[in-house]
């Protein structure tokens, strides 16, 4: 156990524990690396490794042989470089101005011709070629060169002069829906864009895209969510291993008569004599308030229904049918039976990605290192 806090904090029986299984992340990456071969497979560790700790995840993946990482923002890249050391490529999806990475040696993603011009000009000024990735938009309308910019670039490759173009990349909008016509349309547009830029390698699929077949293979796949146990094939059983588990302690168990309201807004009233277990996790910990009345926790394989509203620091569960539950016991709120991040997300009206990236800072973090 080591989250950088004194070991004694794990002895605090009133604090929830987030267990992060680094060997499971590595196993997921190796599965994906085999699937992406002969192309390379990166690790996407933006948003602090989808909430699970970019430094820890980055070091584990690097030790497993991962040579390419993606983050969203410059400061994430600088922190990741400090964590994993020199060597692997760290690309910043949002880009950054030339030189803003200091000596971290990051690779900017160029998302427009203006970005291309800035990096090309900096190269000319310094005489040192700059490595970069070019993002072409094929269907997101978010970042990346649009069709008009792509046409200007294909008519004048000298716009790239001096830039060492590592990859041309694009990003899929609907990869988790295999039958969606966007997928084939984006593959077609990407193939056209790449045929205009034959000197560069290609980076295409995210996690779900890696399951769409050979048209979505490339020199560098960019899985994120699947590393962390989110199902990249939502219409089929999850091929990935579970990675994160949140165990929260019961602070108190009380018996209430039928007719007793529970929690803010008195939104739930006990329909029968009920035992209520109050657990030390709330929406401030990323246990989303939209789970109010909707989630289940897992106690040794048995479902425990959440009742009433999730409040900031506390959540209540109906343990009438589990009389053995006592203060100090821990319920698994995320990562147990019936409460995978995907299932919690579905119950909250969101997706597993948001569940993971919302995980709070108050948990004791227990990294399994294998
Ligand atoms: C987040 C992101 C990924 C990873 O996506 P997942 O669906 O988590 O696998 C890949 N590429 C880009 C551009 C992204 O923004």
């Amino acid at each position: 156990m080591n989250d950088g806090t004194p070991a004694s904090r794990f002895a605090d029986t009133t604090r929830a524990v987030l267990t992060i299984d680094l060997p499971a992340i590595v196993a997921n990456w190796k599965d994906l690396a085999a699937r992406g071969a002969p192309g390379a497979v990166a690790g996407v560790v933006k948003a602090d490794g989808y909430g699970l700790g970019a430094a820890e995840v980055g070091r584990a993946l690097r030790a497993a042989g991962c040579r390419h990482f993606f983050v969203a923002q410059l400061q994430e890249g600088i922190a990741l470089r400090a964590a994993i050391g020199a060597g692997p490529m760290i690309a910043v999806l949002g880009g950054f101005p030339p030189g803003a990475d200091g000596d971290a040696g990051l690779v900017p993603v160029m998302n427009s011709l203006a970005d291309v011009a800035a990096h090309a000009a900096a190269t000319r000024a310094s005489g040192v070629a700059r490595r970069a990735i070019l993002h072409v938009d094929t269907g997101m309308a978010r970042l990346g060169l649009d069709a008009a910019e792509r046409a200007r670039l294909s008519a004048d490759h000298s716009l790239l002069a001096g830039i060492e173009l590592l990859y041309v990349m694009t990003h899929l909008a609907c990869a988790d829906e295999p039958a969606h016509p966007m997928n084939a349309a984006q593959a077609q547009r990407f193939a056209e864009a790449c045929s205009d830029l034959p000197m560069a390698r290609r980076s295409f699929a995210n996690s779900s895209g890696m399951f769409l077949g050979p048209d979505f293979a490339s020199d560098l796949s960019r899985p994120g969510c699947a590393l962390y146990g989110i199902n990249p094939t939502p219409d089929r059983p999850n091929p990935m291993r579970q990675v994160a588990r949140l165990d929260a302690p019961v602070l108190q168990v009380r018996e209430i008569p039928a007719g007793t309201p529970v929690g803010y807004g008195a939104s739930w009233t006990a329909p029968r004599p009920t035992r209520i277990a109050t657990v030390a996790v709330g929406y401030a910990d990323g246990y989303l308030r939209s789970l109010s009345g909707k989630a289940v926790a897992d106690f040794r394989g048995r479902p425990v229904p959440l009742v009433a509203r999730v409040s900031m620091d506390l959540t209540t569960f109906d343990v009438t049918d589990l009389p053995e539950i006592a203060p100090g016991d821990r319920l698994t709120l995320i990562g147990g039976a019936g409460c995978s991040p995907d299932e919690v997300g579905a119950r909250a009206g969101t997706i597993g990605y948001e569940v993971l990236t919302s995980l709070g800072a108050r948990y004791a973090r227990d990294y399994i290192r294998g």
Side-chain angles (χ1 to χ4, degrees):
M1 293 189 194
N2 178 12
D3 68 347
T5 56
S8 61
R9 293 179 73 175
F10 291 96
D12 177 357
T13 56
T14 63
R15 191 177 181 202
V17 177
L18 181 67
T19 305
I20 296 154
D21 188 340
L22 294 172
I25 296 177
V26 166
N28 286 337
W29 181 76
K30 287 184 171 167
D31 283 356
L32 295 163
R35 176 171 285 278
V41 174
V44 179
V45 296
K46 60 191 179 183
D48 197 25
Y50 288 47
L52 301 181
E56 293 280 354
V57 173
R59 281 193 287 261
L61 290 180
R62 184 187 179 174
C66 182
R67 305 296 296 161
H68 306 84
F69 292 88
F70 285 84
V71 295
Q73 300 182 352
L74 176 61
Q75 79 276 9
E76 294 177 339
I78 291 171
L80 183 65
R81 179 63 77 204
I84 69 172
M89 179 191 93
I90 300 175
V92 179
L93 291 165
F96 55 83
D101 57 333
D103 57 8
L106 308 180
V107 173
V109 172
M110 302 182 296
N111 287 303
S112 66
L113 280 187
D115 288 353
V116 171
H119 287 284
T123 290
R124 284 194 297 277
S126 68
V128 180
R130 276 160 204 264
R131 300 183 309 156
I133 293 174
L134 181 70
H135 182 186
V136 297
D137 176 35
T138 57
M140 286 288 271
R142 212 172 52 162
L143 292 176
L145 275 64
D146 63 19
E149 286 192 312
R150 290 204 316 266
R152 279 172 59 198
L153 185 62
S154 92
D156 183 3
H157 283 180
S158 75
L159 294 173
L160 287 164
I163 295 174
E164 184 189 344
L165 198 56
L166 296 184
Y167 295 95
V168 179
M169 64 164 271
T170 197
H171 191 45
L172 289 160
C174 306
D176 57 339
E177 298 174 55
H180 202 294
M182 280 293 283
N183 295 321
Q186 288 194 261
Q188 172 69 31
R189 274 178 222 136
F190 189 45
E192 285 163 20
C194 291
S195 70
D196 279 345
L197 298 164
M199 62 293 200
R201 287 169 290 172
R202 309 184 317 143
S203 176
F204 193 5
N206 64 341
S207 299
S208 294
M210 295 185 74
F211 292 79
L212 291 178
D215 290 351
F216 300 83
S218 68
D219 300 300
L220 181 64
S221 300
R222 303 185 311 273
C225 73
L227 297 173
Y228 309 103
I230 288 176
N231 187 356
T233 58
D235 54 342
R236 284 180 275 151
N238 191 349
M240 313 316 299
R241 294 185 204 200
Q242 285 301 297
V243 164
R245 196 180 76 236
L246 175 62
D247 295 307
V250 174
L251 295 180
Q252 204 176 89
V253 177
R254 65 176 59 210
E255 316 248 350
I256 57 174
T260 307
V262 176
Y264 283 117
S267 67
W268 185 83
T269 299
R272 58 173 178 169
T274 298
R275 292 177 77 241
I276 293 289
T278 302
V279 161
V281 160
Y283 60 76
D285 304 297
Y287 196 63
L288 303 172
R289 189 168 176 276
S290 50
L291 291 168
S292 296
K294 293 185 179 155
V296 288
D298 169 15
F299 184 71
R300 299 176 188 162
R302 297 174 66 194
V304 191
L306 186 162
V307 292
R309 283 200 190 145
V310 177
S311 48
M312 186 183 294
D313 319 298
L314 299 170
T315 304
T316 45
F317 291 84
D318 180 347
V319 296
T320 314
D321 299 329
L322 292 111
E324 70 271 34
I325 290 182
D329 283 335
R330 289 176 185 272
L331 306 185
T332 302
L333 271 51
I334 296 174
C339 57
S340 69
D342 290 317
E343 289 167 318
V344 172
R347 287 178 185 268
T350 179
I351 54 177
Y353 297 67
E354 190 175 10
V355 172
L356 291 185
T357 57
S358 299
L359 288 168
R362 296 197 290 194
Y363 305 131
R365 290 189 172 220
D366 183 5
Y367 284 95
I368 298 174
R369 295 169 199 286

